[in-house]
Amino acid sequence: MKTASVSNIRINTIKIKPFKDQKPGTSGLRKTVKQFQVLDYLQAFIQSIFNSQAELEGATLILGGDGRYFNREAVQIILRMATANGVGKIILGQAGILSTPAASHLITKYEALGGIILSASHNAGGPLGDFGVKFDTANGGPAPESLTDEIFIISSNLREYKIIDISPVPMDKIGQYKLGNMVIEVIDAVEDYSKLMSEIFNFDKISRLLTSSDFSMCFDAMHAVTGPYATSILEDQLGARQGSVIRGRPLPNFGGAHPDPNLVHAEQLVETMYREEGAPNFGAASDGDGDRNMIMGDYFFVTPSDSLAIMTANAHLIPAYSKGLKGVARSMPTSEAVDKVAEKMGLNCFETPTGWKFFSNLLDADQITLCGEESFGTGSSHVNEKDGLWAVLFWLNILAERQDSVEHIVRQHWAEYGRNYYTRHDYEKLPFKSAESLFNNLHDNINQLSQKPFNQHTIATADSFTYIDPIDNSISENQGVRIIFDDSSRIIFRLSGTGTEGATLRVYIEKYVTDLAQFELDTQDALKSLIQTAESIADIKGYTGRTEPTVIT
Ligand code: G16
């Protein structure tokens, strides 16, 4: 260990052996808490981020996380390393808490070099759960692949990191502190974000809806980061009844549950919304770091793909988007529901690989205003990350304007644009070898699949999705195997880039219908023969031994 000093604070240079496994996935580096607690592991990744930034000296960074187990310890380490590495200022969410969209907003608002967000999103927390680190760049968006690749190369060769040995560093009380030459500004995590929301939406109209006697809502914060944001905005500012926000207190282990807003994990919300009598008119949930959303009506679930399409079709009702949209985008596995709306509205609709980072260039170049993914993420040009609470407010604003129910709005949408039945089947914790063999087989057979009949379906095209970014022409290959049938139904296979245990195979299945008589089917029934086709094309049972998925959404 070498030492130096700055303003009488000693800087230690700690020698380490390089870690070879710090490759960021779909959204930052996600590992188990236990892995992050390995001596020098977190420090090595943070130093790699710092080393990738030529302009770090004297720069401002935003820092915060979703409050999960190890969040506070990680904040302490990062503050001590930032000082040692010459960072000029850190703007820190009080108690180390910031939602992902709020952090993204702060980066651009305060013209920071970037931000470090501590979260493993919807993955479980606690000592036996997951932890994660994401780096957002100056545009408030996730680091692009070129940068995450560079960070990975740096980390694979990193032999030392710098840190000061003062602790604890202030993080709980709002105010400015000096640590060596670095300023730490601890700010209210909610204030700036809530001001931004009030500039986008019609708060007066939403407030009238939320305070009317015949309207009630339930927002499930899943004991994760959106609790304080939702309580402040929905209850305190907009007047939703007290108790409308459930599981609102962020807990380090999310109360022992998965902070994943879907029909499986938002159990309490789903029970409330599917009550035979007296269910609220509107239900919603957000995830660990506040960037995902699930939307429900009384006895009704809105698929994320439909939600994006409906938001697009109704964007003119929202003050910030009333002058029109530049264009829209969806990730490739997301259903084509939004394409139908874009076509009718004369908008460009871009198809990107999975991962929010792929929307960034389009947003920066003003090519799109709204974008979204099947994985419960929707966002707009207001920040460069997906935004859970923003989507909830968007829906509330639509409801306030249309004075209609969620279910009726969705049904009217289907009647006008047709219905895209959609499901995702996940096979989790597969041995890497089985998943690899399954994909090798799919790739080997791809060329022979075209024009082949399966059950009642004929394959029109089959390929491995390659994305050429229309803005910088960067190429991303192998973004999923895509099988498109002659009736435009689709089956997509890809491996998740966010899991921490084994491989997760995701199978996305979609069918488009326009016949009103076919709108009332159960989704799994409507897609039954395509599901069987998917299982047989990939020989899922043969390669994995699994006869059914672990999770269906
Ligand atoms: C992240 C990404 C999303 C992606 C999702 C699922 O979301 O930001 O773009 O759709 O993971 O990715 P995968 O299918 O590779 O697991 P989050 O909310 O987990 O940060």
Side-chain angles (χ1 to χ4, degrees):
M1 181 176 88
K2 278 197 313 211
T3 59
S5 65
V6 46
S7 294
N8 294 328
I9 290 184
R10 219 171 54 197
I11 298 173
N12 299 322
T13 302
I14 313 287
K15 299 282 176 203
I16 56 166
K17 271 204 190 137
F19 292 96
K20 301 288 184 187
D21 67 341
Q22 298 197 328
K23 188 166 176 53
T26 310
S27 181
L29 183 69
R30 276 187 206 171
K31 299 277 177 191
T32 58
V33 167
K34 277 195 181 322
Q35 180 62 59
F36 267 105
Q37 286 171 326
V38 164
L39 183 68
D40 300 329
Y41 193 83
L42 170 71
Q43 290 85 335
F45 191 65
I46 298 298
Q47 188 66 54
S48 303
I49 295 175
F50 287 165
N51 290 3
S52 73
Q53 298 302 303
E55 312 284 316
L56 189 73
E57 189 85 33
T60 297
L61 288 178
I62 307 299
L63 176 62
D66 63 12
R68 68 178 56 224
Y69 187 84
F70 198 54
N71 193 89
R72 291 184 68 84
E73 292 82 343
V75 166
Q76 288 288 323
I77 289 169
I78 294 167
L79 289 173
R80 289 163 53 210
M81 288 185 67
T83 310
N85 279 275
V87 172
K89 182 175 183 179
I90 293 261
I91 300 178
L92 174 72
Q94 190 176 16
I97 302 270
L98 277 180
S99 78
T100 288
S104 171
H105 172 53
L106 292 172
I107 292 171
T108 48
K109 176 163 182 175
Y110 295 108
E111 295 179 356
L113 175 72
I116 296 176
I117 304 169
L118 306 171
S119 172
S121 185
H122 55 290
N123 295 17
L128 300 177
D130 291 338
F131 191 75
V133 179
K134 299 191 279 187
F135 183 65
D136 276 10
T137 51
N139 67 357
E145 265 190 341
S146 53
L147 178 55
T148 53
D149 287 350
E150 189 188 333
I151 293 172
F152 176 53
I153 293 170
I154 296 172
S155 72
S156 308
N157 297 292
L158 191 84
R159 295 192 175 273
E160 59 180 40
Y161 68 86
K162 287 188 199 158
I163 192 162
I164 61 161
D165 54 9
I166 284 186
S167 63
V169 181
M171 61 186 280
D172 290 312
K173 239 175 110 194
I174 288 172
Q176 279 217 3
Y177 307 89
K178 201 90 199 274
L179 189 64
N181 287 334
M182 187 178 84
V183 173
I184 303 174
E185 186 174 354
V186 179
I187 60 162
D188 180 307
V190 178
E191 211 172 275
D192 289 291
Y193 178 82
S194 118
K195 184 163 177 291
L196 176 67
M197 292 302 111
S198 71
E199 288 160 6
I200 296 174
F201 299 106
N202 189 331
F203 266 29
D204 287 342
K205 273 225 161 113
I206 299 177
S207 179
R208 254 176 275 149
L209 174 77
L210 290 179
T211 50
S212 72
S213 56
D214 54 358
F215 189 89
S216 62
M217 70 167 289
C218 179
F219 177 86
D220 186 355
M222 308 193 92
H223 284 311
V225 79
T226 34
Y229 293 87
T231 308
S232 163
I233 296 174
L234 297 173
E235 290 188 7
D236 301 345
Q237 293 177 54
L238 293 170
R241 263 171 241 154
Q242 270 203 0
S244 297
V245 176
I246 60 170
R247 299 201 284 168
R249 195 158 65 89
L251 296 173
N253 70 347
F254 307 117
H258 275 254
D260 194 357
N262 60 34
L263 292 175
V264 179
H265 294 299
E267 211 181 346
Q268 191 182 339
L269 171 74
V270 172
E271 262 175 40
T272 306
M273 298 309 295
Y274 280 108
R275 251 184 231 150
E276 284 300 331
E277 265 175 54
N281 309 73
F282 179 72
S286 191
D287 69 331
D289 60 329
D291 57 3
R292 295 185 175 205
N293 73 89
M294 174 168 75
I295 302 295
M296 299 187 76
D298 175 356
Y299 221 93
F300 198 79
F301 164 66
V302 187
T303 70
S305 299
D306 277 351
S307 178
L308 174 64
I310 292 163
M311 287 162 82
T312 303
N314 289 277
H316 60 280
L317 300 174
I318 312 295
Y321 312 112
S322 59
K323 293 204 177 76
L325 306 176
K326 304 276 184 195
V328 291
R330 62 164 172 82
S331 64
M332 184 272 282
T334 301
S335 102
E336 293 179 334
V338 71
D339 302 40
K340 310 280 183 287
V341 181
E343 197 183 333
K344 200 161 184 178
M345 290 172 73
L347 294 171
N348 274 336
C349 179
F350 297 86
E351 184 177 47
T352 62
T354 294
W356 206 260
K357 57 192 167 204
F358 293 104
F359 294 133
S360 271
N361 274 356
L362 295 167
L363 287 165
D364 285 349
D366 230 6
Q367 293 293 307
I368 57 170
T369 309
L370 297 183
C371 45
E373 296 185 275
E374 51 68 39
S375 56
F376 294 84
T378 342
S380 88
S381 46
H382 73 289
V383 291
N384 228 323
E385 288 273 6
K386 54 187 184 281
D387 190 345
L389 206 46
W390 164 88
V392 171
L393 289 164
F394 200 123
W395 266 92
L396 285 170
N397 206 150
I398 295 175
L399 296 180
E401 289 290 347
R402 290 188 52 172
Q403 296 290 317
D404 203 346
S405 73
V406 172
E407 177 171 353
H408 192 242
I409 288 173
V410 177
R411 288 192 184 284
Q412 272 196 338
H413 186 91
W414 292 341
E416 185 172 352
Y417 295 95
R419 176 171 183 186
N420 291 71
Y421 279 106
Y422 187 83
T423 191
R424 187 177 97 187
H425 286 200
D426 292 341
Y427 296 79
E428 296 177 333
K429 299 184 188 169
L430 297 174
F432 285 112
K433 277 240 160 326
S434 320
E436 198 185 326
S437 310
L438 182 148
F439 269 87
N440 286 343
N441 177 54
L442 271 176
H443 283 288
D444 289 348
N445 290 326
I446 239 170
N447 293 332
Q448 285 100 64
L449 285 174
S450 288
Q451 307 308 320
K452 220 174 162 181
F454 271 94
N455 296 336
Q456 317 105 35
H457 314 282
T458 302
I459 298 174
T461 55
D463 64 4
S464 170
F465 182 55
T466 295
Y467 180 62
I468 303 174
D469 187 298
I471 311 301
D472 64 13
N473 294 319
S474 57
I475 298 177
S476 303
E477 292 177 318
N478 290 325
Q479 298 297 322
V481 169
R482 190 164 60 154
I483 295 172
I484 303 170
F485 296 87
D486 57 1
D487 66 351
S488 85
S489 296
R490 299 192 310 158
I491 297 174
I492 320 284
F493 301 94
R494 63 177 282 281
L495 288 177
S496 158
T498 55
T500 56
E501 216 185 323
T504 296
L505 165 68
R506 300 207 196 284
V507 187
Y508 312 81
I509 299 147
E510 171 181 14
K511 179 181 173 186
Y512 177 58
V513 295
T514 47
D515 177 6
L516 273 174
Q518 283 189 50
F519 283 0
E520 298 308 320
L521 299 175
D522 169 77
T523 299
Q524 300 304 312
D525 288 341
L527 297 172
K528 199 167 175 183
S529 79
L530 280 166
I531 292 170
Q532 285 164 353
T533 303
E535 288 166 357
S536 96
I537 288 178
D539 190 11
I540 296 177
K541 184 165 173 236
Y543 282 99
T544 68
R546 303 279 179 87
T547 49
E548 52 188 44
T550 337
V551 178
I552 295 179
T553 46

